[in-house]
Amino acid sequence: MAMRILVTDGMDAGAMQQLRADGYEVVEQFYEPEALGAALREFDAVVIRSATKIKAPQIDAEKGGKLRLIIRAGVGMDNIDIPYAEAAGIACKNTPRASSNAVAELAVGLMFACARSLSIAGSTMREKKWEKKAYSKGFELQGKTLGVIGYGRIGRRIGEKCQALGMDVLATVHRSKPEGCECATMHFVPMDELLARSDIIALSAPSGDKPLVDAESLAKMKDGVVIINTSRGANIDEAALLDALNSGKVRAAGLDVWLSEKEPNWALAAHPSVACTPHIGAGTDEAQARIGAELVDILEHF
């Protein structure tokens, strides 16, 4: 009998076609959290992105069913209770390499948007306002110091691109330092040194027990710092960031991720010094094709 695969949040069309050509039964259907667990009983594997969460209630409701594999089409897996799933005999996989470049490019794009007020300047132009004087007070990325918190696949891509722009890069990591990175324009430093020296801080780490950017860490940063977050919404205390933007402690912020995607912090999104996007980090044709290819490979070799 063919493996039945549930795709809850969409998948690259080419990957879907390949799986069906290989004989898999693929069903595209989003389920609300309270209905998802029961639905999973009828599938051997499920492919999710950020919108679907598989936690203890869904895993409990699936018990006695067929599910053997959960795949996160992307990097972060904090929407899956991995220990609970694995204890129930369900393997958990992701596609960590496919979207790294796309997310890194968006992070750099948000830096440019913050440096030149591109978001608010474009918005006022669409309102037929000519605000040249107000938005001619930007800054250049060249010569600035970038601090990257989390120097894994994505963080390293961000660092490499920013070095090419003439920036110096500082980084801190929670695990072992990747080899071959340090040079005249890139150094690993303790967190407090990174916070104190960086003109721009980019978050590229998984979420933990507390936000990486909160009132305490903000107080250690330079006045006029720029914050970029393409990692996880929980890495920022949104109320503290909004206060820092209003006080001028933070000059600008570029945000792709939010604490809640169902009800984002609209006051933060509407701030004139914020360039923001609705979690589109992996949203390129190239990244989605790579993610699809990784998904097919995982399923074919499971």
Side-chain angles (χ1 to χ4, degrees), residues 191-214:
M191 177 70 83
D192 282 355
E193 182 177 348
L194 182 148
L195 297 177
R197 291 178 54 191
S198 299
D199 301 300
I200 301 171
I201 293 176
L203 307 183
S204 187
S207 56
D209 296 334
K210 58 173 289 190
L212 294 168
V213 174
D214 56 13

Side-chain angles (χ1 to χ4, degrees), residues 35-103:
L36 178 60
L40 291 174
R41 295 167 60 89
E42 305 302 319
F43 293 91
D44 301 286
V46 58
V47 178
I48 68 174
R49 295 180 68 178
S50 59
T52 296
K53 293 177 173 56
I54 301 181
K55 302 288 188 175
Q58 288 75 39
I59 295 166
D60 286 341
E62 191 281 331
K63 284 182 179 175
K66 301 167 56 178
L67 190 67
R68 294 182 290 133
L69 175 64
I70 300 169
I71 309 177
R72 165 69 163 95
V75 180
M77 299 178 72
D78 50 350
N79 53 335
I80 305 169
D81 190 331
I82 296 174
Y84 202 80
E86 290 180 340
I90 304 168
C92 300
K93 307 284 187 180
N94 66 345
T95 59
R97 296 174 297 278
S99 58
S100 298
N101 188 68
V103 177

Side-chain angles (χ1 to χ4, degrees), residues 120-164:
I120 185 65
S123 179
T124 56
M125 285 290 289
R126 286 186 287 274
E127 294 172 359
K128 299 182 180 180
K129 297 177 182 178
W130 187 260
E131 303 283 0
K132 179 175 180 178
K133 185 176 181 180
Y135 303 122
S136 293
K137 299 174 183 178
F139 65 91
E140 297 179 8
L141 299 184
Q142 180 174 294
K144 300 299 188 293
T145 297
L146 170 71
V148 184
I149 301 178
Y151 216 64
R153 291 183 181 90
I154 296 172
R156 185 167 178 172
R157 289 284 186 112
I158 295 171
E160 290 168 350
K161 294 177 191 301
C162 288
Q163 286 175 82

Side-chain angles (χ1 to χ4, degrees), residues 187-252:
H187 299 282
F188 289 105
V189 297
M191 177 70 83
D192 282 355
E193 182 177 348
L194 182 148
L195 297 177
R197 291 178 54 191
S198 299
D199 301 300
I200 301 171
I201 293 176
L203 307 183
S204 187
S207 56
D209 296 334
K210 58 173 289 190
L212 294 168
V213 174
D214 56 13
E216 181 182 357
S217 62
L218 284 163
K220 298 176 181 179
M221 297 178 193
K222 284 184 175 183
D223 291 343
V225 68
V226 173
I227 306 292
I228 305 294
N229 190 15
T230 55
S231 59
R232 285 290 175 264
N235 278 335
I236 288 183
D237 179 331
E238 293 178 342
L241 177 59
L242 186 57
D243 286 344
L245 284 160
N246 287 333
S247 71
K249 174 69 179 184
V250 173
R251 174 172 179 155

